[in-house]
């Protein structure tokens, strides 16, 4: 009888080992051309600045990043995964990257400064090949640490937007953008979705203690770590104050229980849509729409969230605001 292991992640013992080993082969051992084996030729990649199609753009962007940060190490912090049918799985891969800007990059000549940032890559693998990805990097943190001006960098970004329509979801716990999901971990998933609905969307911030533990820790953009319910509230306020009408839409859920990783983890892919009409955190207010792709991983114990890693790129907000203002690119051409 053919199993998921036979067709989806062989010869590795599970999707976590599959993801970690393939990432190491490409990024650490620099087998850049192996991307053509790991990604489908017509792979779809949703990033912070738009949707890309095809494997060759992935090959080119990976080569450029390795050349710019040749000592970069991407440390796998966790891989949350679950099956998608009989021949596929969805993985939420959290990576902590560090390195030094010693090569020419899209940002210009080497600054010789170090950086550290997080990425969460949500990948749909079918029969051992990546067919669709939702990947978010905290590039704003990198730009800051390199001593560059994030607003200037954002004006030069090739912000293409997302060309894949998001059809309404009847029940994301039954089927998200990656397909139908198994019926397990429902209580934990409902708990996390309850936080998103009640605290994030309804702005009932005082009810955060119904969802998180007293000693909750939350890592957000720009390398910031917040503690306790009060810190959790402040991090959310910082994100929402410039976009006061924003709403979060969860488009995928993945859950996995592993004692090695501390218990049950729930991963989300979410989109934020709002209007830059609040506090002028990104320059003069434009009253223009903003869309943000984000991803979170939650660790739960005893029915409470004890840790969240929330990854989003504020450069994407800056780029959209700059376009709405009509700001000219910094670099000529």
């Amino acid at each position: 009888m053919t199993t998921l292991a036979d067709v989806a992640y062989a010869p590795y013992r599970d999707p976590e080992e599959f993801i970690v080993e393939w990432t190491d082969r490409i990024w650490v051992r620099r087998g850049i051309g192996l991307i053509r084996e790991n990604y489908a030729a017509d792979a779809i990649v949703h990033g912070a600045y738009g949707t890309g199609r095809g494997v060759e753009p992935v090959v080119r962007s990976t080569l450029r990043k390795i050349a710019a940060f040749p000592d970069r190490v991407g440390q796998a912090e966790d891989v949350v995964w679950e099956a998608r049918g009989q021949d596929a799985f969805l993985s939420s891969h959290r990576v902590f990257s560090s390195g030094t800007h010693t090569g020419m990059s899209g940002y210009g000549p080497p600054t010789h400064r170090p950086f550290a940032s997080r990425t969460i890559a949500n990948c749909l693998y079918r029969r051992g090949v990546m067919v669709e990805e939702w990947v978010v990097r905290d590039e704003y943190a990198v730009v800051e640490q390199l001593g560059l001006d994030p607003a200037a960098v954002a004006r030069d970004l090739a912000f293409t937007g997302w060309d894949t329509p998001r059809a309404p979801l009847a029940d994301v716990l039954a089927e998200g953008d990656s397909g139908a999901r198994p019926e397990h971990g429902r209580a934990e998933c409902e708990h996390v979705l309850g936080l998103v609905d009640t605290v994030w969307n309804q702005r009932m911030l005082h009810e955060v203690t119904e969802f998180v533990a007293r000693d909750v820790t939350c890592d957000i953009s720009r390398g910031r770590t917040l503690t306790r319910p009060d810190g959790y509230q402040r991090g959310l306020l910082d994100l929402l104050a410039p976009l006061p009408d924003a709403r979060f839409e969860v488009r995928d859920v993945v859950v996995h229980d592993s004692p090695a990783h501390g218990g049950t983890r729930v991963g989300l892919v979410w989109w934020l849509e709002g209007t830059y009409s609040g506090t002028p955190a990104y320059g003069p207010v434009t009253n223009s729409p903003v869309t943000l792709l984000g991803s979170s991983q939650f660790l739960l114990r005893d029915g409470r969230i004890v840790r969240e890693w929330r990854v989003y790129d504020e450069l994407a907000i800056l780029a959209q605001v700059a376009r709405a203002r009509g700001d000219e690119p910094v670099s000529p051409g």
Side-chain angles (χ1 to χ4, degrees), residues 70-206:
D71 66 343
R72 176 192 176 277
V73 175
Q75 183 69 22
E77 292 187 315
D78 197 1
V79 179
V80 185
W81 65 272
E82 64 182 17
R84 289 293 183 268
Q86 299 301 310
D87 65 350
F89 66 86
L90 178 68
S91 62
S92 175
H93 182 198
R94 192 177 81 247
V95 182
F96 184 79
S97 299
S98 60
T100 313
H101 185 207
T102 57
M104 179 65 76
S105 74
Y107 302 136
T111 62
H112 300 283
R113 294 194 180 194
F115 82 93
S117 69
R118 272 198 177 85
T119 297
I120 297 182
N122 297 269
C123 297
L124 176 62
Y125 277 88
R126 191 169 303 283
R127 294 188 168 270
V129 177
M130 208 286 296
V131 296
E132 192 163 7
E133 181 177 22
W134 299 261
V135 58
V136 188
R137 300 179 179 90
D138 185 6
E139 199 68 14
Y140 193 111
V142 177
V143 167
E144 273 195 322
Q145 291 168 76
L146 298 186
L148 305 174
D149 178 5
V153 170
R155 292 202 295 274
D156 281 339
L157 282 176
F159 187 87
T160 58
W162 302 274
D163 62 3
T164 303
R166 300 196 302 275
L169 294 173
D171 178 4
V172 71
L173 287 185
E175 183 171 359
D177 285 337
S178 63
R181 57 177 305 276
E183 178 64 34
H184 72 113
R186 191 169 188 92
E188 291 85 358
C189 293
E190 288 178 342
H191 187 82
V192 169
L193 293 180
L195 170 75
V196 173
D197 179 54
T198 303
V199 180
W200 294 15
N201 278 335
Q202 295 185 42
R203 316 295 201 249
M204 304 287 280
L205 272 67
H206 65 293

Side-chain angles (χ1 to χ4, degrees), residues 14-75:
D14 57 26
E16 177 172 2
E17 185 178 69
F18 176 98
I19 293 291
V20 171
E21 288 301 312
W22 266 106
T23 303
D24 193 77
R25 291 172 69 187
I26 293 167
W27 284 92
V28 177
R29 287 178 261 170
R30 299 177 181 169
I32 299 169
L34 294 174
I35 293 171
R36 297 185 181 96
E37 298 178 27
N38 189 243
Y39 281 60
D42 57 352
I44 302 171
V45 179
H46 310 282
Y49 316 132
T51 298
R53 294 179 181 274
V55 67
E56 292 307 321
V58 180
V59 174
R60 292 193 294 268
S61 66
T62 303
L63 186 149
R64 290 195 298 266
K65 190 171 286 288
I66 291 175
F69 304 94
D71 66 343
R72 176 192 176 277
V73 175
Q75 183 69 22

Side-chain angles (χ1 to χ4, degrees), residues 248-260:
F248 297 85
E249 181 188 16
V250 176
R251 297 295 302 188
D252 234 321
V253 179
V254 56
V255 60
H256 191 260
D257 183 71
S258 168

Side-chain angles (χ1 to χ4, degrees), residues 267-304:
L268 303 182
V269 176
W270 49 263
W271 294 83
L272 176 152
E273 292 191 339
T275 308
Y276 184 46
S277 58
T279 57
Y282 306 106
V285 169
T286 58
N287 294 302
S288 56
V290 168
T291 300
L292 184 68
L293 173 62
S295 189
S296 293
Q297 286 185 1
F298 301 84
L299 174 64
L300 292 91
R301 294 197 192 109
D302 300 323
R304 286 286 189 276

